[in-house]
Amino acid sequence: MLFQIRFVLAILFRQNIGWSAQQRQDRSTRFADAASAHGMQTLIGITAGLISWFYVPAYFWWFLPVLCGMLTAIPLLMLSSSANMGRIARRLGLFLTPAETQVPQVLQYLHEEQLAAAQRQLSAADVLRSPEIFALHSALLPVKSFSRREQHHAGGLLYKLMEEGVDSLETHELREIFSQPAILQEFHVWVWSQR
């Protein structure tokens, strides 16, 4: 609540609060950081609790749920940022999303497809036709410049491949085509334009 008040006041007075990037590594919040973030609201909670206890004792117990949130802000922040507590909660099945308790259908389908692909032997035709395999092969090729003669020779092999198919080329000829990303890209585009 106090953070929201601070943000609203900052907007009204045209101040920039900033929003730093989240820390996604397993690291617990230190006491100094927790006190820096929630120290003011803890002090407000203590002050409000004492004023309520001494001046309006009949309303103190009604006010206690609000005070508890303010007084426990620092320990709750430290506890909820603990990686060990997160692992314990996960083991107990607490705070889990539906996707964590039951694998979504799309991920089950992906897993089945990956298993099927792993069991199947890949051929040169798969690399030339499948966008995923083609992209992976192209990304793994080393960066290298080819001479004009090498480019023309690979271009001739490419036309032979287009006219006669993959089986018409010998292994060293396929290797030459597969080593040149530009030639391979041209053939891949040609394959998909034939569909």
Side-chain angles (χ1 to χ4, degrees), residues 52-112:
S52 173
W53 179 260
F54 287 112
Y55 292 106
V56 196
Y59 289 107
F60 175 78
W61 300 109
W62 291 99
F63 195 46
L64 196 58
V66 175
L67 293 176
C68 284
M70 298 170 90
L71 297 175
T72 59
I74 293 173
L76 278 177
L77 174 62
M78 293 175 65
L79 189 66
S80 63
S81 72
S82 167
N84 290 333
M85 289 304 295
R87 289 186 197 98
I88 291 169
R90 183 178 184 83
R91 266 186 255 127
L92 295 173
L94 302 173
F95 312 119
L96 297 177
T97 64
E100 291 175 299
T101 57
Q102 182 180 359
V103 179
Q105 187 69 34
V106 68
L107 292 181
Q108 288 177 357
Y109 176 71
L110 174 66
H111 182 65
E112 291 166 7

Side-chain angles (χ1 to χ4, degrees), residues 17-23:
I17 288 190
W19 196 276
S20 58
Q22 292 179 338
Q23 296 292 327

